[in-house]
Amino acid sequence: MYGVLEKIVRHPERVTLEEVAWVMSNDELNEELFALADEIRQKYLGKQVYLRGIIEFSNYCRNDCLYCGIRASNKNVKRYRMSVDEIVERAKLIAEMGIKTVVLQSGEDPYYTTEMVGEMILRIKRLNVAITLSIGERDFEEYEYWKNLGADRYLMRHETADEELYKKLHPNDSFQIRKSHLIKLKQLGYETGAGSMVGLPGQNDVALAKDVLFVYELDADMVGIGPFIPHPDTPLRDSKVGDLTKVLKLIALTRLFLPDANIPATTALGTIHPFGRQLALKCGANVIMPNFTPSPYRSHYTLYPNKICIFEKDTACGECTKNIVRSVGYEVSEDFGYRRKDHERSPCRV
Ligand code: 5AD
Ligand code: FES
């Protein structure tokens, strides 16, 4: 007999929900778990950390997720939309800093038509960067159209793999719908990102274990994990903030199940603890996402309160994240940072 951590590494397909939940709820294994996750990360990915420059180009959202500060019914948000020209200008800045991925994120905003997003993709691909879309649930035909234009990756967290909790948090959506979108994105050849929040009200260790097994089952290429942070203008304003150690454990467990996936040290983690991202990089995370949203828009993309980097010079995060990477003894990668080998990646069709 060997321990559960070793079982995850050797036979992840045999691990049960109860076993994962047990690891989540017992803290005796934490040090071993964190060390093992770092060892696996170094074995598969070396000391390299990938930077992804993110542009939050619109905070309009048609959805009303209970946890989110930019939910449609929050009337205290100053809404903004960036033009395609403005977005491409920011993407140029990212490319000039040697950062090889541009992440385009927004609320679910139908203002940006299929063609407008297509134009962003075509123009940004000319900068020789990878493109990640993170614009929520859209039509399957649109995913395909954008893929054919050269979009490389799509980020859409599953938020929680507990169906009941998902239903409570998302009026008009279901976990099954979210799952079907993620599967479609994978089938289309996107590097597909899922992920979840830790510390949602009503979420227990079994629910967190479901998150780990779900991303394993999906074979997610990227997994974004961060703490839930209650926003004062949402129905969850009186809930507690997610626990740092639990977030780190979920990241580490995800690394054991998906040794070569791209796992970011999230901004939300940097928000609840001054060294949250550094700690994440030491226990399985291998990606960091500097914010390139220009001011004055940046301060209005408030999914949660007290978000870091709001008052920085609006290109400062590029250098700052490089320093964070070096401060924990890792290296800033100059690669695109695909999960698959570069020869398998989707060609730029421009
Ligand atoms: N706290 C932490 N993370 C949040 N997100 C949205 N609202 C919050 C919040 N209050 C996360 C969701 C979403 C991602 C872009 O931000 O997981 O997918
Ligand atoms: Fe934004 Fe450090 S990453 S200031």
Side-chain angles (χ1 to χ4, degrees):
M1 270 301 285
Y2 45 78
V4 63
L5 298 183
E6 203 176 334
K7 180 172 174 187
I8 297 172
V9 174
R10 289 206 203 175
H11 295 292
E13 74 289 350
R14 294 190 199 158
V15 177
T16 65
L17 186 66
E18 290 71 29
E19 286 171 320
V20 180
W22 184 86
V23 177
M24 282 310 298
S25 54
N26 286 283
D27 281 338
E28 305 95 81
L29 289 183
N30 287 5
E31 274 184 34
E32 201 187 327
L33 168 64
F34 295 151
L36 187 58
D38 192 42
E39 187 186 320
I40 289 183
R41 169 259 203 287
Q42 296 209 38
K43 179 170 161 201
Y44 283 82
L45 307 156
K47 292 195 181 299
Q48 304 259 298
V49 173
Y50 303 120
L51 262 56
R52 322 289 202 199
I54 182 166
I55 307 169
E56 300 148 332
F57 65 89
S58 161
N59 67 353
Y60 280 82
C61 193
R62 62 178 175 190
N63 283 340
D64 226 9
C65 307
L66 264 63
Y67 45 80
C68 186
I70 63 165
R71 63 203 302 267
S73 56
N74 184 6
K75 301 290 175 249
N76 294 334
V77 182
K78 187 165 165 43
R79 304 281 171 176
Y80 70 86
R81 288 186 175 115
M82 289 171 64
S83 68
V84 176
D85 284 346
E86 280 180 300
I87 296 167
V88 174
E89 279 313 303
R90 290 310 281 191
K92 281 186 189 153
L93 254 162
I94 294 173
E96 279 163 14
M97 287 189 78
I99 297 171
K100 293 295 225 303
T101 294
V102 173
V103 181
L104 299 175
Q105 188 174 90
S106 67
E108 287 199 3
D109 185 0
Y111 167 86
Y112 295 90
T113 59
T114 319
E115 291 72 29
M116 281 168 83
V117 176
E119 187 191 339
M120 295 176 205
I121 295 167
L122 287 177
R123 291 175 59 187
I124 293 173
K125 273 312 259 189
R126 286 189 209 125
L127 305 171
N128 189 32
V129 290
I131 296 185
T132 306
L133 297 176
S134 180
I135 60 178
E137 291 179 6
R138 301 280 297 227
D139 291 344
F140 285 8
E141 294 73 34
E142 298 186 284
Y143 296 149
E144 185 167 8
Y145 176 82
W146 298 327
K147 184 79 188 59
N148 288 333
L149 289 181
D152 301 271
R153 313 189 186 121
Y154 207 106
L155 273 183
M156 187 155 50
R157 289 189 180 176
H158 66 279
E159 312 297 358
T160 171
D162 186 285
E163 294 206 33
E164 258 178 57
L165 183 56
Y166 192 101
K167 191 72 230 165
K168 284 188 195 144
L169 297 171
H170 303 97
N172 315 319
D173 201 0
S174 75
F175 179 67
Q176 288 307 326
I177 294 174
R178 177 55 56 107
K179 183 175 169 181
S180 70
H181 280 255
L182 288 166
I183 290 170
K184 184 69 193 178
L185 290 164
K186 280 220 74 152
Q187 286 167 347
L188 289 170
Y190 280 98
E191 292 210 338
T192 302
S196 53
M197 283 170 284
V198 174
L200 290 162
Q203 188 185 41
N204 55 20
D205 290 327
V206 174
L208 293 171
K210 287 181 189 170
D211 288 323
V212 179
L213 293 188
F214 175 69
V215 296
Y216 173 63
E217 178 198 346
L218 180 71
D219 189 27
D221 302 298
M222 294 105 72
V223 186
I225 298 167
F228 159 68
I229 307 173
H231 191 293
D233 296 329
T234 65
L236 303 183
R237 63 181 70 84
D238 296 324
S239 306
K240 277 198 318 211
V241 59
D243 176 69
L244 171 73
T245 306
K246 285 247 191 253
V247 178
L248 295 174
K249 287 176 76 171
L250 202 66
I251 289 174
L253 275 168
T254 302
R255 171 61 65 208
L256 303 196
F257 274 92
L258 294 169
D260 61 353
N262 284 318
I263 303 179
T266 54
T267 305
L269 201 47
T271 298
I272 64 158
H273 188 284
F275 294 105
R277 289 175 296 177
Q278 288 86 337
L279 291 165
L281 290 172
K282 293 302 267 177
C283 56
N286 71 315
V287 168
I288 192 159
M289 299 172 70
N291 191 335
F292 277 89
T293 309
S295 50
Y297 307 130
R298 189 183 295 198
S299 60
H300 304 305
Y301 198 80
T302 44
L303 310 181
Y304 49 82
N306 307 318
K307 194 167 159 206
I308 49 172
C309 315
I310 296 296
F311 303 108
E312 302 301 327
K313 188 168 113 238
D314 70 16
T315 51
C317 298
E319 283 311 321
C320 177
T321 49
K322 288 179 188 173
N323 289 332
I324 289 176
V325 170
R326 293 182 189 121
S327 75
V328 295
Y330 286 149
E331 293 158 13
V332 176
S333 172
E334 296 187 351
D335 296 342
F336 290 98
Y338 290 95
R339 181 189 187 195
R340 289 179 295 246
K341 305 240 167 351
D342 274 4
H343 65 260
E344 288 172 44
R345 80 172 206 260
S346 62
C348 168
R349 284 172 223 271
V350 185

